[in-house]
DNA sequence: GCAATCTAGTTTAATCATGCAACCATCGGA
DNA sequence: TCCGATGGTTGCATGATTAAACTAGATTGC
């Protein structure tokens, strides 16, 4: 990924997430895993990325505990890559990315799929952020506080 | 960004979002913009990225309608970079990234800040996804449908 | 049981984006 | 007019990405 200042030691959680899954392929691999893709060759066929890159990405995702390898499942001797709880936790990020594109993309008519709830088959609502007492929050209604008590941060999501 | 198969023509909205903001710096630039950062030199100081890269990224973000340039505001002759509605629409993505890190990071004690609601100063809840009739949905409760009517997609967020 | 094919990689070479540093033009203040 | 800050641009070295060739073991077909 080109010599990058790793954000691993950054104290911003956004930067830390990006450090883990902030490249194109990692997120798309996780997306495919949600679709049920689990084998090396399947990932490669669906995503069309170079196999060496896939090798590196899969290994990194396993190292980070986002995917785990299981010895088999369909009887074949090959291993498969499955989402861990941490990997499944990426779901809201995928939904957020999807909804942003649905709302703001310049050519929404080219988007092929809609996320619907399985039971009723109807589109889901937008992701919603609530305060602990149940108020719906927008960007302007939130601010950042240092984790360890102390004084209010000046940095606010305006 | 290294000769990349551009996802611009991909029909998956996640891929399309990644194509727009799927690199490390773009998202961090948007994060800073939410913090109120608006000038070239501020972005450069806070993020510590090379100025040429910042130039390219800012231009790309402006081209995509995520940032817009305004001639001034504090009287100086320099321009400033402001979030457009499309840019402010990235907020849920930032929150999702933040919450994923908060929940799954191997060293959460290194995270410096907490997102709180401005009014009460208390941490926000997790992002929630609801069906149109108000049921809280997890990854397993959703599936994908082709946008243009027709038959159910086999690809489900399992 | 043998050959063909599939799987999951590794290796290699060419390419091209990235990051860094140095340079440059403009603006504002003294 | 000089000086520092601002907002870039240019050039080069690094190294990430890719396609393609190669490999070794597993599986399937016959």
């Amino acid at each position: 990924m080109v010599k990058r200042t790793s954000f691993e030691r950054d104290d911003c959680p956004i930067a830390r997430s990006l450090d883990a899954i902030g490249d194109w392929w990692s997120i798309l691999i996780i997306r495919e895993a949600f679709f049920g893709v689990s084998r090396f060759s399947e990932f490669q066929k669906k995503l069309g990325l170079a196999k060496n890159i896939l090798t590196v990405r899969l290994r990194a995702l396993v190292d980070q505990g986002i995917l785990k390898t299981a010895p088999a499942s369909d009887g074949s001797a090959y291993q498969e890559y499955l989402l861990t709880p941490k990997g499944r936790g990426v779901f809201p990020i995928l939904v957020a990315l999807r909804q942003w594109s649905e709302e703001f993309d310049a050519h929404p008519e080219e988007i092929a799929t809609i996320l619907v709830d399985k039971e009723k088959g109807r589109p889901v609502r937008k992701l919603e952020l609530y305060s602990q007492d149940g108020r719906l929050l927008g960007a302007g209604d939130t601010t950042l506080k240092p984790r360890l008590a102390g004084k209010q941060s000046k940095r606010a999501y305006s």
Side-chain angles (χ1 to χ4, degrees), chain A:
Chain A
M1 317 172 185
V2 179
K3 191 178 57 188
R4 273 191 46 238
T5 38
S6 164
F7 299 124
E8 205 182 336
R9 292 275 136 206
D10 200 296
D11 60 11
C12 168
I14 296 173
R16 296 168 77 89
S17 288
L18 291 179
D19 203 65
I21 54 170
D23 67 292
W24 311 279
W25 292 127
S26 295
I27 292 191
L28 294 177
I29 288 169
I30 294 169
R31 180 196 66 174
E32 293 300 327
F34 270 110
F35 290 152
V37 170
S38 66
R39 309 241 320 226
F40 186 95
S41 57
E42 278 185 293
F43 284 114
Q44 208 241 321
K45 243 171 283 178
K46 300 242 178 175
L47 295 174
L49 82 172
K51 293 197 289 179
N52 54 348
I53 302 297
L54 179 57
T55 300
V56 173
R57 286 294 183 282
L58 285 174
R59 215 181 325 264
L61 289 171
V62 169
D63 286 350
Q64 291 175 31
I66 292 166
L67 295 179
K68 62 173 179 256
T69 54
S73 97
D74 62 345
S76 78
Y78 306 115
Q79 63 184 351
E80 51 184 20
Y81 297 89
L82 298 173
L83 287 170
T84 63
K86 183 174 181 179
R88 280 192 294 278
V90 175
F91 185 65
I93 299 174
L94 294 179
V95 174
L97 287 168
R98 163 177 281 275
Q99 292 187 339
W100 184 73
S101 184
E102 286 171 350
E103 186 167 356
F104 297 104
D105 194 286
H107 299 284
E109 73 280 4
E110 292 174 0
I111 296 173
T113 59
I114 301 173
L115 185 64
V116 301
D117 81 277
K118 211 180 256 178
E119 202 178 309
K120 297 284 175 60
R122 289 208 308 216
V124 303
R125 286 204 225 155
K126 280 211 67 185
L127 280 172
E128 291 163 11
L129 183 67
Y130 288 99
S131 66
Q132 285 193 355
D133 54 349
R135 282 170 295 119
L136 185 60
L137 302 174
D141 304 317
T142 64
T143 188
L144 289 181
K145 243 165 92 167
R147 197 174 61 85
L148 296 170
K151 56 198 177 309
Q152 188 89 357
S153 166
K154 285 199 302 292
R155 295 154 78 87
Y157 283 117
S158 47

